[in-house]
Amino acid sequence: MINDGDMKELATSMNVFFQQVTAYLLESFDESWILERITSKLDVHQYGALKRRSTTHALIDMTHDWLNAVDKGQSVHTVFIDFTKAFDRVDHNILVAKMRALDLPDVITCWMCSFLRHRRQQVVIGDVMSDWVQMVAGMPQGSYLGPLTFVIPIDALHPICMTRKFIDDTTMTKITNRSDISCMQSSIDELVHRTSEIGMQVNIKKTKEMFISSTLKDPPPSVTLSGETVETVAIFNSLGVHVSNNLKWAQHIQAISAKGASRLYFLK
């Protein structure tokens, strides 16, 4: 037999569950309404959180330009940008201002304001709980609207070089002839400046650069971020694909084979 205490606990759990499902559905409806009105206004090289766009489209777009440049004997200077705690730094005021600038209906903007208002967070370590803190930035973990609310603020990031974005994964590319000097540093400086304007911050530790060329023997000096030199790498995992500076697939195939062998071992 189920006692009254168990019934009350079950009723409370079911009530919380239905509230979460209802909130999730409302978020999905709101996302659809927003996308219908702003997709055509967003950067065409943003491939994340938008319908009929994926990592595959972003990778094809990037590698096509890189391979085409190498075939012509040109050099490719690429910087893979990483943002520090990207979703935790989404400023609510900037987000709402961007939504208004995109001419979204007031009812959608007001709904977003209501969704973000009075949110609190608490840290729990073991049996110790911190005080509740009012959130003025960031999005709830697992939120349906989380990726979209990051895409909207960073849409203004348009450096002078080719830039592809997949939500918070940003790749900057500068193609030069053999005798030309890469102007990637000025593009990086511009990106950092615009990033600070929307409350974001570039993570110097995880940002990497790569020089792709079949003939480049003396690469130009590495770019710097806030006075620190960006690390130059020969291989980088971009959107799940291991990109090498010779644009060969050996490293990626090796990584996939190793992952498959590991899973087969556990199955065995």
Side-chain angles (χ1 to χ4, degrees):
M1 297 291 293
I2 301 177
N3 57 41
D4 292 342
D6 291 337
M7 286 295 294
K8 289 181 180 179
E9 184 177 351
L10 178 61
T12 301
S13 299
M14 291 297 293
N15 185 39
V16 171
F17 171 76
F18 284 118
Q19 286 180 355
Q20 291 175 340
V21 171
T22 302
Y24 189 81
L25 288 173
L26 286 174
E27 287 183 46
S28 67
F29 294 152
D30 196 52
E31 185 206 38
S32 297
W33 296 334
I34 293 174
L35 287 177
E36 287 177 2
R37 292 164 173 81
I38 70 171
T39 299
S40 61
K41 302 176 183 178
L42 295 177
D43 186 358
V44 295
H45 294 297
Q46 170 61 262
Y47 295 96
L50 303 177
K51 293 181 179 179
R52 292 180 290 277
R53 301 187 193 182
S54 66
T55 54
T56 302
H57 294 96
L59 288 165
I60 290 175
D61 189 15
M62 290 188 293
T63 55
H64 172 75
D65 280 346
W66 297 343
L67 288 166
N68 189 43
V70 171
D71 287 343
K72 294 179 179 179
Q74 297 173 309
S75 301
V76 180
H77 189 179
T78 302
V79 178
F80 303 97
I81 301 294
D82 183 85
F83 292 98
T84 301
K85 297 182 178 180
F87 293 98
D88 293 338
R89 299 179 70 93
V90 175
D91 188 289
H92 297 170
N93 293 325
I94 293 176
L95 172 62
V96 172
K98 295 289 185 182
M99 292 178 68
R100 290 187 178 277
L102 289 169
D103 294 327
L104 283 169
D106 290 340
V107 63
I108 295 179
T109 305
C110 290
W111 190 95
M112 181 63 75
C113 291
S114 177
F115 176 75
L116 297 174
R117 186 181 296 123
H118 303 314
R119 285 196 172 273
R120 302 186 300 166
Q121 65 180 9
Q122 186 182 48
V123 177
V124 180
I125 302 177
D127 297 330
V128 181
M129 294 185 294
S130 69
D131 296 331
W132 286 101
V133 177
Q134 193 81 21
M135 293 176 59
V136 295
M139 292 297 295
Q141 289 188 354
S143 169
Y144 203 95
L145 289 169
L148 184 60
T149 55
F150 182 83
V151 166
I152 292 175
I154 70 165
D155 186 64
L157 302 181
H158 296 291
I160 56 178
C161 67
M162 291 185 291
T163 304
R164 274 83 173 191
K165 310 168 191 170
F166 189 87
I167 309 179
D168 58 330
D169 288 300
T170 300
T171 304
M172 302 173 63
T173 300
K174 179 63 179 176
I175 296 175
T176 59
N177 295 316
R178 296 181 185 179
S179 58
D180 294 341
I181 299 176
S182 174
C183 62
M184 180 62 79
Q185 184 61 59
S186 59
S187 298
I188 291 292
D189 294 339
E190 180 189 1
L191 177 76
V192 171
H193 175 69
R194 294 193 178 186
T195 299
S196 62
E197 289 181 340
I198 58 174
M200 298 292 174
Q201 183 178 352
V202 178
N203 187 347
I204 177 63
K205 301 299 182 182
K206 294 185 178 181
T207 295
K208 310 296 180 184
E209 73 172 348
M210 180 185 293
F211 298 100
I212 303 172
S213 175
S214 60
T215 58
L216 187 64
K217 297 181 179 180
D218 297 316
S222 297
V223 296
T224 60
L225 277 170
S226 302
E228 294 188 47
T229 302
V230 175
E231 181 184 359
T232 302
V233 295
I235 302 170
F236 186 82
N237 188 342
S238 177
L239 302 177
V241 174
H242 292 76
V243 180
S244 61
N245 58 0
N246 58 7
L247 296 182
K248 304 294 184 181
W249 292 103
Q251 292 292 336
H252 181 67
I253 293 172
Q254 183 180 349
I256 296 299
S257 298
K259 184 183 294 185
S262 175
R263 293 180 179 180
L264 286 173
Y265 174 78
F266 284 117
L267 287 174
K268 182 179 178 181

